[in-house]
Amino acid sequence: MPTESGSCSTARQAKQKRKSHSLSIRRTNSSEQERTGLPREMLEGQDSKLPSSVRTTLLELFGQIEREFENLYIENLELRREIDTLNERLAAEGQAIDGAELSKGQLKTKASHSTSQLSQKLKTTYKASTSKIVSSFKTTTSRAVCQLVKEYIGHRDGIWDVSVARTQPVVLGTASADHTALLWSIETGKCLVKYTGHVGSVNSIKFHPSEQLALTASGDQTAHIWRYVVQLPTPQPVADTSISGEDEIECSDKDEPDIDGDVSSDCPTIRVPLTSLKSHQGVVIAADWLVGGKQAVTASWDRTANLYDVETSELVHSLTGHDQELTHCCTHPTQRLVVTSSRDTTFRLWDFRDPSIHSVNVFQGHTDTVTSAVFTVGDNVVSGSDDRTVKVWDLKNMRSPIATIRTDSAINRINVCVGQKIIALPHDNRQVRLFDMSGVRLARLPRSSRQGHRRMVCCSAWSEDHPICNLFTCGFDRQAIGWNINIPALLQEK
């Protein structure tokens, strides 16, 4: 029919026009600079306390915003024309099909349905465009305050846990599914010690508070305590691994760091532990030292946590009560408190401060597996879960959290920068985000085709006093990464 073909042609032309104005953030070129030359000169002529580089960047970003909204305005006009065309088409089709004039209610229903679809499309396009603009600000901020310093590559399988020694010399420890634990020089990235005493996946590693001892938990149903002696190599100049103004690129899960041979083969190997803690009937998923280092606690898939005497290896207490497998355990830095998390959606606080009374408190609030719960300064605990939330709790009021952080991906083993109260959240989706204790997002660690994790990030660990790297992450891409977080700048931007 003539009416139908004419409307199709009009719709096709509108679609082609709309396609020509597709929304994307473009880098500034010569023609765009000429368009915005006059306003730029006028603005640059004004007095400003901002550095010239910052001012130039702001001008370019606002120019991008102006161009995006101009494109949105043009597309909005075209969509309105298309709505009018489709409404006319619906009215003509209604008369041709029914052979009679449709009721106003029917025409209104069809037109409303078409209009709502186009309106939704416009909203989606608008959100996509503005999210790109907002992300450009956040990316610039993250790169300025979060820089990758060193990559620690040498494991043959995914790395479950990362930890930093609390005594001199300060070294980095990693626990891997390849049945080994490695100690690294933070400055050079060189492997210093290799521990091979376990016959199963090494699921966690923690350093003694005052001695050169490491505590590792394993899938072989044991936890080992072993002594290490290291000599730090001479630091080499740190290469600049930052990204220079490029958009971040998503990486394939198959992209993993290249390992030429076994980089840990030439470092000293420890094969036998000082002490082996045995009594669990399932995988030991985590272990930690109690304050003072004379006792250690382990968490297992057999639904129990055990408290051991380090010197005698004897079982002191078996902590029961969880309904499903445990996922993590953590001890308080200054008090005899232990927190255990579980797949039963709860975490429990165990109090050993009074030798005669061992109390337990249950925290409920998550709807899926609690992957970790850690202590902070004072009387707070932070818990992370597969339900994509992080909750901050006050130990004096267990009924409800004092803050809740909602994210877009499951959360793994979290860590808190105690001095600055910054929470590092490693995600299943390869991202690592930083939040403060009130739930305000501070930054996201940069990730691109050239840096960052390429698979699930399993754990994070802060080292507040180290001059080069103060945050470490590890993942199932078989590498650990050291980051330098400019905390004063991060908090100032907040």
Side-chain angles (χ1 to χ4, degrees):
M1 296 175 61
T3 305
E4 183 175 354
S5 61
S7 58
C8 289
S9 176
T10 305
R12 191 179 301 110
Q13 292 175 359
K15 184 177 181 181
Q16 291 175 349
K17 289 181 180 179
R18 190 166 64 255
K19 185 176 180 181
S20 66
H21 294 285
S22 59
L23 298 176
S24 62
I25 292 186
R26 306 175 181 87
R27 294 178 176 83
T28 304
N29 54 32
S30 57
S31 61
E32 290 171 342
Q33 289 176 351
E34 291 174 1
R35 281 181 53 196
T36 58
L38 183 58
R40 180 186 295 265
E41 292 175 358
M42 293 175 62
L43 289 171
E44 289 178 347
Q46 299 176 1
D47 295 334
S48 175
K49 297 180 180 179
L50 291 174
S52 59
S53 60
V54 175
R55 189 172 175 81
T56 301
T57 302
L58 286 174
L59 288 171
E60 291 177 354
L61 289 172
F62 282 117
Q64 291 176 8
I65 293 174
E66 181 183 1
R67 290 190 294 276
E68 293 302 328
F69 277 102
E70 181 181 353
N71 290 336
L72 283 173
Y73 178 74
I74 294 172
E75 183 159 347
N76 190 8
L77 292 178
E78 293 172 351
L79 287 172
R80 289 181 180 277
R81 295 191 194 101
E82 188 170 345
I83 289 173
D84 294 337
T85 302
L86 288 175
N87 285 337
E88 294 174 0
R89 177 181 173 184
L90 286 172
E93 287 181 350
Q95 291 176 354
I97 292 171
D98 296 337
E101 188 174 336
L102 293 176
S103 64
K104 293 182 179 179
Q106 290 173 314
L107 283 174
K108 185 176 181 180
T109 301
K110 288 188 176 183
S112 298
H113 178 68
S114 175
T115 303
S116 63
Q117 287 182 329
L118 290 169
S119 298
Q120 185 62 37
K121 182 178 181 181
L122 179 61
K123 290 178 181 179
T124 303
T125 305
Y126 172 77
K127 288 180 180 179
S129 175
T130 53
S131 65
K132 288 180 181 179
I133 296 171
V134 173
S135 65
S136 67
F137 281 104
K138 291 183 177 179
T139 299
T140 303
T141 300
S142 297
R143 291 174 186 162
V145 300
C146 310
Q147 294 185 348
L148 187 151
V149 177
K150 185 66 67 175
E151 294 177 331
Y152 306 89
I153 301 173
H155 279 292
R156 311 301 299 183
D157 208 338
I159 304 176
W160 293 118
D161 198 15
V162 62
S163 183
V164 182
R166 291 182 274 180
T167 59
Q168 294 293 335
V170 178
V171 295
L172 180 70
T174 53
S176 172
D178 64 7
H179 300 189
T180 69
L182 300 181
L183 303 187
W184 307 82
S185 165
I186 293 177
E187 291 81 1
T188 66
K190 180 181 178 181
C191 179
L192 305 175
V193 172
K194 181 178 183 179
Y195 181 71
T196 61
H198 287 290
V199 294
S201 170
V202 184
N203 300 319
S204 78
I205 181 170
K206 289 290 184 290
F207 291 97
H208 192 277
S210 59
E211 300 182 42
Q212 290 187 16
L213 295 173
L215 171 64
T216 50
S218 173
D220 61 13
Q221 303 185 4
T222 68
H224 289 179
I225 297 173
W226 42 280
R227 185 177 297 278
Y228 62 90
V229 178
V230 297
Q231 182 175 1
L232 296 180
T234 303
Q236 299 295 325
V238 178
D240 184 10
T241 58
S242 60
I243 300 178
S244 57
E246 296 182 3
D247 293 331
E248 295 193 354
I249 305 171
E250 293 296 325
C251 311
S252 170
D253 286 348
K254 297 180 180 179
D255 295 336
E256 297 188 5
D258 296 329
I259 301 177
D260 298 328
D262 188 354
V263 299
S264 62
S265 60
D266 59 345
C267 67
T269 300
I270 302 173
R271 295 180 173 86
V272 181
L274 289 177
T275 303
S276 181
L277 308 178
K278 304 176 181 178
S279 64
H280 283 294
Q281 303 301 313
V283 169
V284 181
I285 195 66
D288 202 358
W289 304 90
L290 262 72
V291 58
K294 295 182 178 181
Q295 291 182 324
V297 63
T298 57
S300 172
W301 283 4
D302 64 9
R303 305 184 183 185
T304 67
N306 289 339
L307 185 65
Y308 294 93
D309 181 274
V310 171
E311 185 176 354
T312 64
S313 304
E314 293 182 357
L315 177 64
V316 179
H317 293 291
S318 183
L319 312 179
T320 60
H322 282 292
D323 296 330
Q324 294 189 41
E325 295 92 335
L326 273 65
T327 57
H328 191 251
C329 65
C330 180
T331 59
H332 196 282
T334 60
Q335 303 182 62
R336 290 177 54 80
L337 297 173
V338 176
V339 62
T340 57
S341 53
S342 170
R343 291 184 61 188
D344 63 10
T345 73
T346 71
F347 66 94
R348 294 177 177 238
L349 174 67
W350 311 83
D351 190 344
F352 298 101
R353 289 175 293 186
D354 188 340
S356 60
I357 303 175
H358 303 141
S359 63
V360 57
N361 294 309
V362 182
F363 289 74
Q364 297 176 332
H366 289 288
T367 59
D368 205 338
T369 297
V370 181
T371 52
S372 63
V374 298
F375 290 99
T376 67
V377 291
D379 295 322
N380 291 335
V381 170
V382 181
S383 61
S385 171
D386 280 344
D387 65 9
R388 304 183 179 184
T389 67
V390 171
K391 297 180 184 290
V392 182
W393 306 79
D394 186 346
L395 298 182
K396 298 176 182 178
N397 180 16
M398 301 177 296
R399 294 182 179 179
S400 60
I402 58 178
T404 298
I405 302 169
R406 304 187 186 280
T407 69
D408 59 353
S409 179
I411 297 152
N412 297 310
R413 292 182 176 177
I414 60 178
N415 198 269
V416 178
C417 177
V418 176
Q420 303 295 337
K421 298 183 180 181
I422 300 175
I423 312 169
L425 309 184
H427 290 282
D428 275 0
N429 66 359
R430 303 172 288 180
Q431 302 288 354
V432 181
R433 296 182 174 94
L434 306 181
F435 287 81
D436 68 9
M437 294 287 289
S438 61
V440 176
R441 176 176 165 177
L442 301 177
R444 175 173 60 84
L445 300 190
R447 189 177 65 82
S448 73
S449 60
R450 292 188 296 165
Q451 70 170 4
H453 289 287
R454 296 164 177 83
R455 297 184 69 182
M456 176 180 71
V457 188
C458 300
C459 184
S460 60
W462 288 94
S463 177
E464 301 178 45
D465 299 327
H466 199 279
I468 297 177
C469 302
N470 54 3
L471 177 63
F472 299 89
T473 58
C474 66
F476 226 64
D477 55 359
R478 302 182 293 175
Q479 68 172 335
I481 297 178
W483 304 86
N484 181 271
I485 311 299
N486 189 337
I487 294 179
L490 194 68
L491 297 177
Q492 183 177 6
E493 289 179 359
K494 182 185 84 168

